């Protein structure tokens, strides 16, 4: 009789996030790099630092704006298409919040542009 291994959902989610980061790192590592691109720190560690800084700044913003934090927290558990639609609707109704979040995300967009990467599409663009 075979034993079935059950992995808790939080562990699966963390594993998927980790795999996504590793995948991005592999894509950066395998992409042909010109000397100018290499000098621009288009490395896996550069990406990780940029993502980390953007995430920390966004967390600080959400802490300082409880209404925005609440609006995005309420999206938890929605199916992905509904989550995107609701986030888009919220951002359309709150252009100042959209502008703030786009500014916070700017370092990631700049990294992607500088390093020839594409970001996933989303309410704030990619």
């Amino acid at each position: 009789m075979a034993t079935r291994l059950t992995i808790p959902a939080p562990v699966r989610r963390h594993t998927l996030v980790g795999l996504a980061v590793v995948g991005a790192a592999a894509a950066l590592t395998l992409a042909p790099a010109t000397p100018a691109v290499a000098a621009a720190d288009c490395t896996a560690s550069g990406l990780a630092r940029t993502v980390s800084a953007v995430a920390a700044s966004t967390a600080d913003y959400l802490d300082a704006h409880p209404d925005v934090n609440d609006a995005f927290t309420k999206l938890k558990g929605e199916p992905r298409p509904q989550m995107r639609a609701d986030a888009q609707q919220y951002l359309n109704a709150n252009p100042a919040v959209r502008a703030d979040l786009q500014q916070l995300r700017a370092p990631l967009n700049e990294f992607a542009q500088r390093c020839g990467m594409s970001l996933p599409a989303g309410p704030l663009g990619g």
Side-chain angles (χ1 to χ4, degrees):
M1 181 160 100
T3 304
R4 184 170 182 224
L5 177 63
T6 303
I7 301 172
V11 172
R12 287 192 307 253
R13 272 193 301 275
H14 289 291
T15 301
L16 289 175
V17 170
L19 289 173
V21 170
V22 169
L28 284 174
T29 303
L30 297 176
T34 63
V37 171
D41 193 22
C42 294
T43 62
S45 64
L47 174 61
R49 281 189 190 89
T50 303
V51 168
S52 177
V54 169
S57 296
T58 303
D60 291 343
Y61 177 87
L62 293 171
D63 286 341
H65 298 84
D67 55 323
V68 179
N69 194 19
D70 186 50
F72 283 98
T73 299
K74 288 179 180 177
L75 301 177
K76 181 180 177 184
E78 289 186 357
R80 178 78 55 190
Q82 184 64 45
M83 185 184 296
R84 286 181 186 266
D86 289 348
Q88 186 69 54
Q89 182 178 9
Y90 177 81
L91 293 169
N92 289 344
N94 297 279
V97 172
R98 175 189 296 280
D100 289 346
L101 293 176
Q102 285 174 329
Q103 185 174 357
L104 290 169
R105 185 183 161 126
L108 184 56
N109 292 334
E110 291 163 2
F111 180 95
Q113 185 176 27
R114 183 178 70 244
C115 298
M117 294 175 48
S118 60
L119 298 175
L124 297 174

